[in-house]
Amino acid sequence: MYRTVPEDATIVVRDLHKRFGALEVLKGIDFHVNRGEVVCVIGPSGSGKSTLLRCINQLETATSGQVFVAGTEVTDPDVDIDAVRRRIGMVFQQFNLFPHLSVLRNLTITQRRVLHRTTAEAERIARETLTKVGLDDKVGAYPAQLSGGQQQRVAIARALAMDPELMLFDEPTSALDPELVGDVLAVIHDLASDGMTMMVVTHEMAFARDVADRVVFMDGGVVVEEGPPAELLGNPQHRRTQDFLSRVLDPTRAQPKRSGG
Amino acid sequence: MAVGRQGEPVSSLVGRRRSPLASLPRTKRIRLIRGAQYAVFVLVLLLVALTVDWPTIREGYFNLDKARPLFPTILTVALKNTVVYTAMGFAFGLVVGLFFALMRLSQVTPYRWFANCYIEFFRGIPLLLWLFFLGYGVPTATGRQLPFSPYSAIVLGLGMPAAAYLAETIRAGIQAVPRGQMEAARSLGMSQSRAMISIVIPQAFRIIIPPLTNELIVLTKDSSLVAILGVAAGTQELTKFGRDELNTLVNATPLVVAGLCYLLITVPLSIVVRRLEARNARAR
């Protein structure tokens, strides 16, 4: 029953179920991300896409099923999860920078505490990474002194400074003012061009069309449809995908649903 | 008057009976009321000033001749000891309190249960009783003083109840740190304990600096209760010192000076707390 996935896929998810009490959020997900691939996950809120992403690095514990990251089963209860997470960068909707530390220290503290790099080496890598996201002039600033877009770019740099094999993005632009979204998407775009393996949960359809190798549409805890962005976004096959896309792409014309909305 | 001004029945007038002030313009009325409030205040002050026996007050409470011999010992010994005892109790309370705060947040049920018992016990019993227990109860039961007497009784006496209060404050602080902070730290590969030490606890302490300073003020005053331990001359703190001098000089001035010495500690701390709270309010 498993779809055949390439042996070297960076993320492999098999029949994943996640239940919060009586609520079943993921109802049997089969999913994979190949090395160097950019996969955007779209879907209405409550569809389980963020939960799926958080199951990849075990911020949520799966109820049943398996998740493999670069060949390691992260759903194995005996796995050294800290070691696995070192290889997975994660970017949150709310940035989650450490507010008590300067930008530089935000980037160096995990390098030093987790990778045991020397202070000099950690700072060199931090500065390089900050240059990559265009914020090398902010090393001494504190997160509260930065705009949302700058904070999110620092958060991306913080994850990149750990040399991850793949990056997870959980709605990275949803908490940003519209005029700041572009800078953050540009950074993610650059990463994609560099060949980084990425899984991006997003509402930015234009970005998904532009950057993704594959788009996955989730609804009601299952993967409804997936395919190349032009196909899935341009010519969706399922009723639910069509419905969702018409709402997102043309919100002023959408009919209110009878429940929720 | 059974009938109103314009021949209306009284009953209809009762509802709109108005004070004579009401006929005045609003600004004038406010000025008049404000003036009356000041007048009452001045009147009471005058009354106190005229009825109080000022020479007795000066002689009995603010007697400079009786205050002079208190110095410098009241500062170099008594005030210093109050500060030292408070600091020792607070340091003990912080370390042990952090320990119990983490136990209260533990996944291990017996840890939570034990921490709850400790906190409830020491929040529930009077400090004075606890000090009597350490200072007199334990020696009576065992026939021996605690080691390092009287410091052990002072540190445990002030520190163990302080730990109970501080544990609750620290726990609240840890829980006030957004969950995303722990998630971000864990997602970067930090272990649970490393994330707690490097990320969560430093932020928790920042959040609780105002309540911690308040606890420090309370403890400064509570340190006066160690006076009942009957500490010797070199180790007496402000309250014990004031009381002993009250007996020696047969005058209340030492108590007044001791009180002023407490204010010397607590008022600056209060100002610090107010500043910190204002800064926190701005940051939000």
Side-chain angles (χ1 to χ4, degrees):
Chain A
M1 67 175 281
Y2 299 137
R3 233 167 314 180
T4 51
V5 296
E7 282 298 307
D8 66 339
T10 302
I11 302 174
V12 178
V13 175
R14 283 187 187 151
D15 194 28
L16 185 71
H17 290 257
K18 175 64 183 176
R19 191 185 284 282
F20 292 106
L23 184 70
E24 191 170 27
V25 180
L26 298 179
K27 300 171 181 167
I29 302 278
D30 290 298
F31 173 84
H32 73 278
V33 178
N34 292 322
R35 185 170 303 283
E37 196 182 21
V38 178
V39 174
C40 284
V41 182
I42 61 170
S45 53
S47 59
K49 53 195 193 305
S50 283
T51 306
L52 171 62
L53 183 112
R54 290 161 62 85
C55 281
I56 307 296
N57 68 353
Q58 290 290 290
L59 281 185
E60 302 291 354
T61 318
T63 309
S64 70
Q66 288 175 304
V67 176
F68 296 87
V69 173
T72 309
E73 187 190 346
V74 299
T75 38
D76 176 356
D78 288 328
V79 76
D80 179 356
I81 193 63
D82 295 335
V84 177
R85 283 174 178 155
R86 268 166 232 166
R87 296 149 61 186
I88 310 173
M90 178 158 182
V91 175
F92 298 83
Q93 185 178 346
Q94 297 296 338
F95 329 136
N96 291 347
L97 290 180
F98 305 134
H100 62 303
L101 302 176
S102 68
V103 166
L104 187 67
R105 290 263 289 141
N106 260 278
L107 268 71
T108 56
I109 189 165
T110 39
Q111 292 187 62
R112 286 172 48 206
R113 298 290 182 208
V114 177
L115 301 179
H116 304 291
R117 288 177 182 155
T118 63
T119 309
E121 192 189 3
E123 289 192 357
R124 181 179 60 75
I125 292 169
R127 283 174 204 278
E128 279 174 18
T129 322
L130 284 169
T131 308
K132 214 182 284 181
V133 300
L135 289 172
D136 44 321
D137 55 333
K138 298 290 185 190
V139 283
Y142 279 81
Q145 297 166 317
L146 303 178
S147 73
Q150 291 171 333
Q151 287 190 50
Q152 192 60 299
R153 280 145 69 199
V154 172
I156 294 171
R158 180 176 66 178
L160 289 177
M162 302 291 286
D163 294 327
E165 288 170 42
L166 74 150
M167 290 282 288
L168 307 174
F169 291 86
D170 189 2
E171 303 194 21
T173 58
S174 295
L176 298 177
D177 290 335
E179 78 272 20
L180 302 174
V181 169
D183 292 342
V184 172
L185 292 183
V187 169
I188 304 176
H189 201 297
D190 285 350
L191 271 179
S193 313
D194 291 349
M196 175 65 80
T197 309
M198 297 198 281
M199 172 178 174
V200 187
V201 170
T202 186
H203 290 296
E204 301 286 340
M205 294 304 146
F207 171 78
R209 182 176 293 141
D210 207 20
V211 175
D213 297 309
R214 189 152 49 92
V215 177
V216 173
F217 173 68
M218 281 180 70
D219 191 16
V222 295
V223 172
V224 176
E225 189 173 352
E226 61 180 296
E231 248 167 65
L232 188 125
L233 299 175
N235 183 23
Q237 298 303 304
H238 282 70
R239 182 91 190 88
R240 281 145 93 185
T241 320
Q242 292 162 3
D243 197 41
F244 172 74
L245 287 173
S246 72
R247 280 164 188 287
V248 173
L249 298 175
D250 195 4
T252 51
R253 295 254 292 278
Q255 299 294 316
K257 264 192 282 191
R258 281 183 64 181
S259 64
Chain B
M1 252 223 227
V3 175
R5 212 167 358 146
Q6 281 159 2
E8 294 167 69
V10 169
S11 61
S12 73
L13 276 178
V14 170
R16 16 179 187 126
R17 173 179 290 161
R18 305 167 85 188
S19 88
L21 282 175
S23 56
L24 290 171
R26 203 178 113 81
T27 48
K28 233 179 218 164
R29 196 167 75 225
I30 289 170
R31 217 179 309 147
L32 205 70
I33 292 170
R34 184 65 44 83
Q37 287 169 332
Y38 279 112
V40 168
F41 184 68
V42 170
L43 212 69
V44 170
L45 274 188
L46 269 176
L47 210 68
V48 170
L50 291 175
T51 52
V52 163
D53 181 0
W54 288 112
T56 308
I57 296 255
R58 200 181 313 120
E59 180 64 27
Y61 301 108
F62 300 97
N63 194 327
L64 283 183
D65 292 332
K66 304 279 183 183
R68 217 164 283 129
L70 302 175
F71 291 90
T73 323
I74 193 165
L75 296 179
T76 56
V77 174
L79 180 67
K80 188 206 82 183
N81 279 336
T82 289
V83 171
V84 168
Y85 297 166
T86 306
M88 290 195 307
F90 198 69
F92 182 96
L94 268 184
V95 173
V96 177
L98 176 61
F99 189 68
F100 278 107
L102 292 173
M103 277 175 90
R104 272 213 60 176
L105 295 169
S106 167
Q107 308 271 344
V108 184
T109 313
Y111 282 8
R112 281 203 307 275
W113 182 81
F114 179 70
N116 274 336
C117 286
Y118 179 91
I119 290 165
E120 287 306 326
F121 180 79
F122 279 106
R123 284 204 305 189
I125 61 161
L127 183 53
L128 187 57
L129 184 80
W130 175 238
L131 286 169
F132 271 127
F133 180 81
L134 287 176
Y136 304 106
V138 172
T140 306
T142 61
R144 277 184 289 169
Q145 286 287 335
L146 289 169
F148 307 110
S149 184
Y151 295 104
S152 50
I154 292 169
V155 171
L156 295 178
L158 294 176
M160 286 180 76
Y165 289 101
L166 291 170
E168 283 297 85
T169 307
I170 294 169
R171 178 187 59 83
I174 288 173
Q175 287 180 324
V177 175
R179 211 164 55 108
Q181 291 292 313
M182 178 56 96
E183 287 186 347
R186 294 305 306 274
S187 79
L188 288 158
M190 283 193 188
S191 66
Q192 172 90 19
S193 51
R194 171 45 67 192
M196 205 66 179
I197 293 166
S198 293
I199 304 300
V200 176
I201 289 177
Q203 289 184 59
F205 271 92
R206 242 154 260 243
I207 293 169
I208 60 173
I209 282 174
L212 278 188
T213 317
N214 272 326
E215 308 264 10
L216 186 58
I217 292 172
V218 171
L219 195 65
T220 305
K221 298 186 295 173
D222 282 353
S223 74
S224 65
L225 289 168
V226 308
I228 63 103
L229 291 175
V231 286
T235 55
Q236 60 195 175
E237 43 64 66
L238 280 170
T239 298
K240 169 81 170 151
F241 180 85
R243 210 196 97 98
D244 289 353
E245 293 300 313
L246 167 79
N247 288 348
T248 316
L249 302 170
V250 200
N251 187 283
T253 305
L255 294 183
V256 173
V257 179
L260 291 174
C261 286
Y262 279 107
L263 294 179
L264 219 58
I265 306 170
T266 54
V267 170
L269 283 177
S270 293
I271 293 169
V272 169
V273 174
R274 224 167 297 145
R275 291 244 171 99
L276 288 171
E277 278 173 349
R279 206 182 63 180
N280 274 3
R282 259 202 313 274
R284 244 164 236 145

